[in-house]
Amino acid sequence: MKPQQIGAFRVDRVLESEGPYFALDFLLPGAPAELIGENADWLKPAFVDPADDRLILSFQSFVLRTGRNTILIDTCTGDDKERPGRPHWHRQKRPYLERLAAIGVAPEAVDFVFCTHLHADHVGWNTRLENGRWVPTFPKARYIFARREYEHWEAVHREHLAGRGEPVSHGSFADSVLPVVEAKRAVFVESDHEIETGVFLEPAPGHTPGNSVLHAESGGRRALFIGDVMHTAVQLARPALSSRFCSDAALSAATRTALCERHAETDTLILACHFPTPVAGRIRRHRAGFALAV
Ligand SMILES: [Zn+2]
């Protein structure tokens, strides 16, 4: 993704990985196979692999530089994490911090980290392994978590510690969220919290209970960091389709549909965590649904 200018703000992406990933009906249960063919004109080759119709996904962060603050949005899967249930995330080594350095951002320069939600692929780089301990990767940053989201997963984590249920999101709550809280770098906010003028959260529940998006408005322009409100651009064609990873599929569908309706045919630049290169685009009405104009 080319750097994007939003008024006085600048947005870059930091890529962790990208490539063909899921079959349509795995990620979006119930999705009709013809959805890709009907929208091939804009989905291929960027969002759907022409070879086998697999959905192409990125794992990426965004860096928003406002002039006042450097804000890192979602932190991918991270290095060295124990993720035996997800082989492609397990004990990973990727040049993420080098790519962050390449856009001129040292870990010490990050003022805020914001995780749209607390799944393993959005919190990984919150921490790094140092002498066998998980420490905050961004030592001077305040890590912003929506209180509702944090409290939900903290309760699930306590259940797990009591012997009920699996570790939260492959163990990521324990190795990528709690160490930040214990280091006193976490800030718990309401789901409409304003970080600075023009930069504010909005609740977008459904994918997870406290899932939130981030608005960035400057000079009459707007970017919207939507996290996993959509996992693939295919969902623009049919916003009612929720992913298999959504905790409340019906609520996720309602949130996604409302977001598409509200921002369609506007200048809002949509930045989703898993949309592959060229990543950024604007929502346009297309056939019975929507499309992404890049
Ligand atoms: Zn995700």
Side-chain angles (χ1 to χ4, degrees):
M1 185 186 93
K2 289 191 228 118
Q4 303 283 329
Q5 204 69 33
I6 307 294
F9 297 169
R10 174 182 163 148
V11 181
D12 293 86
R13 83 143 162 187
V14 182
L15 181 67
E16 189 180 64
S17 66
E18 178 171 88
Y21 212 78
F22 290 128
L24 175 71
D25 61 351
F26 177 82
L27 182 63
L28 306 177
E34 58 271 22
L35 199 55
I36 287 177
E38 288 168 4
N39 291 277
D41 55 326
W42 66 276
L43 287 173
K44 293 181 182 180
F47 302 113
V48 175
D49 189 341
D52 59 7
D53 277 2
R54 267 188 301 167
L55 307 174
I56 301 170
L57 263 61
S58 282
F59 293 85
Q60 62 206 355
S61 302
F62 296 105
V63 174
L64 170 64
R65 281 177 275 196
T66 67
R68 271 179 71 185
N69 289 305
T70 297
I71 302 166
L72 180 65
I73 300 151
D74 284 327
T75 62
C76 306
T77 64
D79 270 11
D80 301 309
K81 309 282 169 160
E82 290 290 321
R83 303 284 183 262
R86 283 279 186 278
H88 44 280
W89 299 349
H90 186 53
R91 298 183 187 174
Q92 187 169 257
K93 296 276 188 198
R94 295 196 187 264
Y96 178 87
L97 293 179
E98 289 80 350
R99 288 172 180 169
L100 193 61
I103 59 162
V105 178
E108 298 73 24
V110 175
D111 298 296
F112 293 98
V113 175
F114 169 60
C115 300
T116 56
H117 63 293
L118 299 185
H119 279 166
D121 56 318
H122 296 258
V123 300
W125 277 103
N126 283 1
T127 59
R128 61 184 177 81
L129 200 55
E130 186 182 88
N131 300 322
R133 287 181 54 233
W134 295 109
V135 300
T137 306
F138 309 101
K140 296 182 178 168
R142 278 168 283 173
Y143 288 68
I144 296 177
F145 302 127
R147 186 187 312 279
R148 176 136 196 254
E149 179 75 358
Y150 181 82
E151 288 179 350
H152 168 78
W153 293 114
E154 209 238 348
V156 179
H157 179 65
R158 270 191 268 114
E159 286 290 298
H160 166 65
L161 292 182
R164 292 183 289 272
E166 296 292 306
V168 173
S169 200
H170 307 279
S172 60
F173 190 81
D175 62 34
S176 305
V177 178
L178 283 182
V180 170
V181 177
E182 285 157 7
K184 303 203 177 340
R185 303 310 307 175
V187 184
F188 303 105
V189 303
E190 298 311 310
S191 298
D192 60 354
H193 175 75
E194 185 177 76
I195 297 175
E196 64 172 87
T197 302
V199 182
F200 58 94
L201 280 62
E202 179 190 6
H207 180 53
T208 61
N211 193 52
S212 305
V213 298
L214 186 75
H215 291 255
E217 297 174 359
S218 173
R221 311 291 301 279
R222 179 194 302 268
L224 186 58
F225 300 91
I226 67 166
D228 287 0
V229 170
M230 284 179 259
H231 288 75
T232 164
V234 178
Q235 286 168 294
L236 284 160
R238 194 153 312 174
L241 288 170
S242 289
S243 86
R244 68 183 306 115
F245 306 113
C246 292
S247 64
D248 183 333
L251 184 58
S252 177
T255 292
R256 185 168 40 260
T257 303
L259 185 147
C260 290
E261 291 287 351
R262 183 168 146 206
H263 295 282
E265 307 297 336
T266 74
D267 183 54
T268 302
L269 190 70
I270 299 293
L271 296 148
C273 258
H274 300 302
F275 283 14
T277 307
V279 183
R282 293 177 173 82
I283 299 175
R284 297 289 177 252
R285 294 190 185 277
H286 189 68
R287 298 198 181 90
F290 304 91
L292 195 71
V294 297

